[in-house]
Amino acid sequence: MTAVLTWQRLRDLKWSELQDAADGWGEASNRADAARDRVSNEMTNQLAKSQKGEAATAALGRLKRLDRNFEYIYTECGLVRTTLNSLAFELSGAQRRLKDALEDAANLRFTVGADGSVSYPAGGENVIDGKELPGGSTSGSSLGTPYGPSLGASSGTPPLTHPNPNHAKAQGIADRILRAVNEAQDIDSRFSETLGKLKAAPGLTVDTKTWTDAAADAAAVRGAADDYLKKDIPHDKSPAERKAWWGSLTQEQREEYLAVYPNEIGNLDGIPSDVRDTANRDNLQLLIGKLEGQESEKARAQLAGLKSIDEQLRADPERGVPRMYLLGIGDEGNGRAIVSFGNPDASRNVSAYVPGLGTSLDTDFARNDVQRARDTAKGAMRYDKSSAAIVWLGYDAPQMPAEKLLDNAGVMFERDGKVGAVAYNDFMAGISATNQNPDPHVTAIGHSYGSFTVGQAAQRDGGIPGADDIILLGSPGTGADSAEDLGVGKGHVYVGAADNDPVTMLPSEDEASAIGAGAVGGASVGASLGLVGGPFSGAVGGALGGVVGGIAGYMSSKDESQLWFGTDPAHEDFGAQRFKVDDGPRPFIDGEGATPAHSNYFNPEKDSESARNIAKIVTGRGDKITAEEPR
């Protein structure tokens, strides 16, 4: 458009031409996507499997660069398409409002001038001589009302009304014309600025800095296209309704949502898993670009975790492990990441594991928690090839750095688990909505504090959607008194608790209070007695007294069935099925730190018995586990 937009140009605008241009950019985006898919899934994989040596390594490097180039072209061309479609959408609204005003003018036989002024005929009666009042002309005013300006309103005097009734009608039409033109001018300026950002310099190298720019481009397009796309995303609907919404969209609409809102679509429960994977892989690059160069500790940790996940997604799958799917990714809170090995929509067996205390989107999660899902999938594949295993970091697990032990009560109390339970159930409802099998076997797995989150999810109305079995590993309790409270029947609640895992022996809240009181009292008495021998003896006496007092307080209040979050899942009073696991290394004594046995449940190399039992349960073979007597 020109710098000054007239109402005639807006009236004659063929916004369909903008849509045609958008279609062209969409075609370019689709071709880049197809080329990327061919480079990645055909050429790169085949070369990696069939060729070795320096030449093959160099060729793979070039192919990977080509893959990233096509990915960038796909993203940017998709953004241009949506920008043009959104521009056409908004301009069509302004044009429609202009044409409505012009139609009203024609029906009243008013004349619209080239400058937007409206001429009206004579009408009404002069109160002095009784003659008809003459016609006139009026221009649009931003101060006007739909029926004309309120004369005198700005000075505080009573508003005056023009004696010719046609004047008010003409003024209203002129105001509408002006507003439509001004609206279109603002739209044009806003989208011109957005399109101006979607440029690539000659000789572009697609690197991390390029993705930083792409993330800014995506943010700009989202800001411009909110009315066109985002308002229709069904955030307040059920996962089943979201699935139906996605199924109702045209292919072009889906492509636009994936190009502009991969963050929204990739994290929306109820959207098919292959679509979420596609969206999240694209959003992963935008998040890496967004966080690159940020100096905060959180940003650096999340960036390292994102890059590790990206490397794993691009690597060749491990033999015997199904393809990796990225079902969720985000930088909000402590970070979000949902990774599946195997397609949970196509698999008969689906498990979803919730990690616990200290988990956040960082390299530890990318290495350790993702590996646990990989190990679960690998074990399950030995019993049933149609299996998918998920690690779900869809909530803020409690963080407890040692120096803030007393300040951070998240792990001691229930808030994080209860919030996470709602999000976990939404995710599981999405898995149920999109799974293509008539009766899939679904297992909810909670490890450490994650078992409390799963337990809270199971105790919500309706339980965990679709869940057939629940596995609790290294659990400090679920908040439930009995396995019957978890909604799947006590015969389908399974517990792994290593004898040397101190987390499965945390004292209850009452016991902790008794320990604290005993420790304080014992330390006081010990210190007083020890001071007889001097300051050093007082310090030693205080320390020993605190230990002895704490033990005495604990023994006086000990209830062997209770942990911090209620009944011990491994205790006979809980009524779950306990399966055999390795005792694991003893804390500190065996030289592996404070809680080495707490981390081994999924690991087939460190605890093959536990990993094998988990694999049996998640494939519907819970009756084949190696049982262990409850406590």
Side-chain angles (χ1 to χ4, degrees), residues 235 237-239 242 268-270 276 392 420-432 465:
H235 292 289
K237 302 295 184 181
S238 70
R242 293 168 185 164
L268 197 62
D269 298 322
R276 293 181 70 165
W392 181 85
V422 176
Y424 183 69
N425 277 357
D426 285 345
F427 174 75
M428 297 299 276
I431 292 298
S432 294

Side-chain angles (χ1 to χ4, degrees), residues 491-621:
H492 291 273
V493 178
Y494 299 87
V495 177
D499 285 346
N500 290 327
D501 180 357
V503 176
T504 70
M505 301 175 190
L506 286 177
S508 69
E509 188 172 358
D510 289 341
E511 292 165 356
S513 297
I515 291 172
V520 171
S524 177
V525 173
S528 298
L529 294 174
L531 283 174
V532 176
F536 179 74
S537 297
V540 173
L544 291 176
V547 172
V548 173
I551 293 173
Y554 173 67
M555 295 305 294
S556 68
S557 63
K558 176 64 176 168
D559 181 344
E560 293 183 352
S561 72
Q562 296 300 302
L563 298 180
W564 187 275
F565 293 118
T567 305
D568 177 4
H571 195 274
E572 62 180 355
D573 288 355
F574 194 74
Q577 295 202 64
R578 186 183 182 190
F579 57 85
K580 190 169 181 58
V581 303
D582 189 82
D583 290 345
R586 293 166 294 178
F588 298 112
I589 295 174
D590 293 324
E592 296 185 33
T595 59
H598 188 58
S599 303
N600 293 346
Y601 295 103
F602 297 89
N603 193 324
E605 295 181 3
K606 293 187 175 182
D607 193 344
S608 60
E609 188 85 70
S610 177
R612 190 161 47 249
N613 282 324
I614 292 171
K616 290 175 182 177
I617 296 166
V618 300
T619 54
R621 292 165 172 77

Side-chain angles (χ1 to χ4, degrees), residues 448-474:
S448 188
Y449 184 89
S451 67
F452 175 71
T453 303
V454 167
Q456 290 298 298
Q459 292 172 79
R460 294 185 63 82
D461 289 345
I464 299 173
D468 298 288
D469 293 311
I470 292 174
I471 302 176
L472 307 171
L473 300 167

Side-chain angles (χ1 to χ4, degrees), residues 384-401:
D384 190 338
K385 298 294 183 185
S386 183
S387 297
I390 301 166
V391 54
W392 181 85
L393 182 59
Y395 79 126
D396 283 332
Q399 305 296 303
M400 188 173 281

Side-chain angles (χ1 to χ4, degrees), residues 283-305:
N283 191 40
L284 177 61
Q285 302 307 317
L286 297 176
L287 283 172
I288 289 174
K290 173 186 174 182
L291 295 176
E292 188 70 44
Q294 294 188 21
E295 296 301 323
S296 69
E297 182 179 347
K298 171 187 170 182
R300 289 197 300 268
Q302 290 188 350
L303 180 61

